[in-house]
């Protein structure tokens, strides 16, 4: 189905699957606790359907994956950054049997990769991810995974521990990137591989960072309550190390709570959202400033970003409108800045301030076109605005919709 329904809004996909299941609007609406009038407006694009908790409830009743309604996964375009081998090459690397069986490693080159060079390559790819250059990351990850695995296979002692940590961080990046692309099953495999790689080392910061990738994988498949439980369990695991925690562990701990706050919001659990956000806020105060330890971009500003995002997921548009535009994200990595811009655009759109919403989305696209194209919010906002126009859509809106591949 990849790319086949990109030109349908989420509401139109709901209608398509509803008819395939032989359900009337009255029956489907009743099964999700809504009215037929509400569902009719959703299917006819008179109401925007952008809250993932509501979309997931419809997906569950229709017996389809969350990604089926979001039109995910999305196709990675060939660029100078990505080359002509993208997700399929990464899938092959993740399904390399030597990584889980240790068979066939004896015939490999005797010289392992240089650890310093491996560190630099790992850092470079994480920096590219935070710069929202998703094609470059996807294209370069397979080779880095193979090099990191080779280092683990050939080294021993302290050097092998370092190699395992680097392999774990590379798998985490793969899981994070694949989640952005909607490749949920592959993201889960990458998160699992990463935890297996670092488990023998026992570094709480690296292990906690991998827990975050598991949380993101759960979120991407709509397993929101599981992600909340994981956050609680992982926080309990990390608590024992927090007394004398350094900035890396504090950042990992805080970012894990932020991921948990999104899971709680999508579970319609505002009490747990507040608990996670308040603890993350205390952790950010302890850290003292915005930072980017282990590529977490954690600090007071990221907490504020998540206050806006969770408000949007809970349907508290007034909070998102009041706080969102006032958050200064200019010092954060591009990925964080654009993700926040998507939330602000969504809030403006929900408030029927489409001109401001479009302006924010256009600015975000200018900064990071790949990220806007691969996020369901960017695609669906643009397409829904086109559908809702009574007259001819503006050239800016039509141009955006075409660049996002949701309009011919």
């Amino acid at each position: 189905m990849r790319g086949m329904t990109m030109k349908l809004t989420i509401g139109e996909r709901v209608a398509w699957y509803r008819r395939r299941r032989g359900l009337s609007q009255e029956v489907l609406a009743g099964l999700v606790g809504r009215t037929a009038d509400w569902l009719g407006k959703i299917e006819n694009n008179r109401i925007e359907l952008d809250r993932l908790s509501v979309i997931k409830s419809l997906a569950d009743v229709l017996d389809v994956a969350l990604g089926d309604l979001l039109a995910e996964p999305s196709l990675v375009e060939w660029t100078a950054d990505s080359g002509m081998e993208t997700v399929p090459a990464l899938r092959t690397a993740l399904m390399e049997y030597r990584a889980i069986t240790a068979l066939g490693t004896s015939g490999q080159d005797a010289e392992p990769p240089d650890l310093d060079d491996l560190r630099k390559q790992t850092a470079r790819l994480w920096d590219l991810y935070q710069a929202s250059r998703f094609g470059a990351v996807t294209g370069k990850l397979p080779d880095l995974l193979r090099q990191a695995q080779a280092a683990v296979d050939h080294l021993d002692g302290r050097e092998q521990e370092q190699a395992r940590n680097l392999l774990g961080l590379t798998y985490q990046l793969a899981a994070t990137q694949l989640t952005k692309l909607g490749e949920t099953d592959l993201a889960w495999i990458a998160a699992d591989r990463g935890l297996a790689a670092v488990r023998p080392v026992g570094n709480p910061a690296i292990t906690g960072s991998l827990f975050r990738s598991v949380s993101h994988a759960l979120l991407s498949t709509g397993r929101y309550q599981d992600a909340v439980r994981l956050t609680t369990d992982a926080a309990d695991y990390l608590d024992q190390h927090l007394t004398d925690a350094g900035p890396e562990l504090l950042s990992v701990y805080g970012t894990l709570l932020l991921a948990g706050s999104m899971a709680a919001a999508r579970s319609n659990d505002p009490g747990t959202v507040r608990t996670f956000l308040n603890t993350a806020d205390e952790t950010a105060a302890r850290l003292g400033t915005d930072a980017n330890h282990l590529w977490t971009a954690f600090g007071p500003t990221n907490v504020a970003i998540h206050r806006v995002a969770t408000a949007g997921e809970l349907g508290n548009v007034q909070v998102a409108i009041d706080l969102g535009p006032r958050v200064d994200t200019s010092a954060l990595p591009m990925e964080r800045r654009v993700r926040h811009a998507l939330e602000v655009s969504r809030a403006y759109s929900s408030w029927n301030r489409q001109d401001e919403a479009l302006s924010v989305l256009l600015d975000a696209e200018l900064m990071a076109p790949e990220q806007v194209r691969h996020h369901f919010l960017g695609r669906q906002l643009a397409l829904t605005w086109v559908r809702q126009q009574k007259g001819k859509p503006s050239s800016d809106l039509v141009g955006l919709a075409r660049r996002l591949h949701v309009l011919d």
Side-chain angles (χ1 to χ4, degrees):
M1 293 292 289
R2 186 196 303 265
M4 296 298 290
T5 59
M6 290 288 285
K7 296 177 177 62
L8 299 180
T9 65
I10 295 174
E12 289 165 351
R13 287 189 208 100
V14 169
W16 190 86
Y17 282 111
R18 175 180 61 77
R19 289 190 289 268
R20 285 289 302 272
R21 294 300 187 196
L23 299 176
S24 67
Q25 287 185 337
E26 289 77 9
V27 170
L28 178 57
L31 290 172
V32 295
R34 302 280 184 153
T35 65
D37 179 64
W38 172 86
L39 183 59
K41 290 177 179 177
I42 289 294
E43 294 185 351
N44 291 314
N45 302 309
R46 293 164 61 193
I47 298 177
E48 291 180 20
L49 187 56
D50 56 12
R51 290 181 59 195
L52 283 171
S53 59
V54 179
I55 299 170
K56 180 61 167 59
S57 67
L58 286 163
D60 287 345
V61 171
L62 292 168
D63 192 29
V64 298
L66 177 62
D68 290 329
L69 294 186
L70 300 181
E72 291 184 336
S74 53
L75 187 68
V76 177
E77 295 185 355
W78 290 339
T79 66
D81 270 347
S82 69
M84 296 175 67
E85 294 186 350
T86 57
V87 173
L90 184 50
R91 178 182 291 108
T92 298
L94 289 172
M95 298 181 72
E96 171 58 63
Y97 71 86
R98 293 182 182 89
I100 58 175
T101 65
L103 296 174
T105 59
S106 59
Q108 295 179 2
D109 294 338
E111 283 296 319
D114 180 76
L115 279 178
D116 286 337
D117 182 58
L118 205 55
R119 285 190 195 91
K120 291 176 183 177
Q121 289 190 62
T122 304
R124 171 64 175 157
L125 281 202
W126 270 104
D127 290 344
L128 285 172
Y129 168 78
Q130 290 195 319
S132 298
R133 291 175 59 184
F134 294 167
V137 175
T138 306
K140 296 178 188 303
L141 266 171
D143 183 60
L144 184 58
L145 281 169
R146 293 186 186 99
Q147 290 188 56
Q149 184 64 58
V152 170
D153 292 340
H154 286 90
L155 298 173
D156 53 28
R158 177 60 179 160
E159 286 189 327
Q160 188 189 65
E161 290 184 356
Q162 295 175 38
R164 283 187 174 278
N165 285 336
L166 290 171
L167 179 59
L169 287 171
T170 304
Y171 273 123
Q172 183 191 348
L173 177 56
T176 303
Q177 178 63 86
L178 288 163
T179 298
K180 291 287 188 185
L181 302 177
E183 297 281 357
T184 55
D185 293 342
L186 291 180
W188 182 264
I189 292 172
D192 176 73
R193 294 276 198 280
L195 279 171
V198 303
R199 190 170 289 117
V201 181
N203 182 318
I206 301 295
T207 302
S209 198
L210 264 298
F211 286 151
R212 182 163 53 108
S213 67
V214 177
S215 178
H216 288 155
L218 290 170
L219 280 169
S220 67
T221 56
R223 295 172 60 186
Y224 305 136
Q225 292 182 356
D226 283 344
V228 170
R229 285 190 288 269
L230 168 68
T231 301
T232 301
D233 292 342
D236 288 344
Y237 165 81
L238 294 176
D239 275 342
Q240 61 187 309
H241 304 284
L242 290 179
T243 303
D244 300 313
E248 282 192 353
L249 184 54
L250 287 174
S251 297
V252 166
Y253 180 72
T255 310
L256 178 70
L257 293 167
L258 294 182
S261 73
M262 292 300 297
R266 292 171 188 174
S267 295
N268 291 310
D269 184 354
T272 301
V273 170
R274 285 192 297 272
T275 298
F276 285 159
L277 285 177
N278 289 341
T279 307
D281 205 17
E282 294 167 3
T283 307
R286 185 174 167 185
L287 185 65
T289 186
D290 290 325
N292 196 27
H293 301 289
L294 283 180
W295 301 279
T296 56
F298 182 69
T301 303
N302 209 349
V303 176
I305 284 175
H306 280 76
R307 290 195 186 279
V308 175
T310 53
E313 289 293 344
L314 289 168
N316 297 331
V317 181
Q318 185 68 61
V319 173
I321 284 286
D322 290 343
L323 178 59
R326 294 190 289 110
V327 179
D328 180 6
T329 63
S330 58
L332 295 188
M334 185 61 68
E335 185 275 333
R336 289 285 81 206
R337 294 172 62 189
V338 172
R339 182 65 185 87
H340 178 63
L342 287 166
E343 289 295 341
V344 174
S345 181
R346 167 166 71 166
Y348 278 138
S349 184
S350 297
W351 215 244
N352 293 318
R353 292 162 63 175
Q354 190 185 109
D355 288 345
E356 290 164 285
L358 176 59
S359 177
V360 171
L361 193 55
L362 285 170
D363 287 344
E365 187 209 17
L366 191 63
M367 291 188 293
E370 288 182 78
Q371 184 172 353
V372 173
R373 185 169 64 248
H374 284 298
H375 200 286
F376 88 94
L377 271 179
R379 299 192 304 266
Q380 290 303 307
L381 284 172
L383 184 55
T384 300
W385 296 336
V386 170
R387 294 283 200 270
Q388 289 176 342
Q389 296 296 308
K390 294 181 179 179
K392 184 178 180 181
S394 69
S395 59
D396 283 343
L397 176 54
V398 170
L400 174 65
R402 285 176 174 162
R403 290 191 299 276
L404 299 185
H405 305 302
V406 296
L407 192 66
D408 291 327

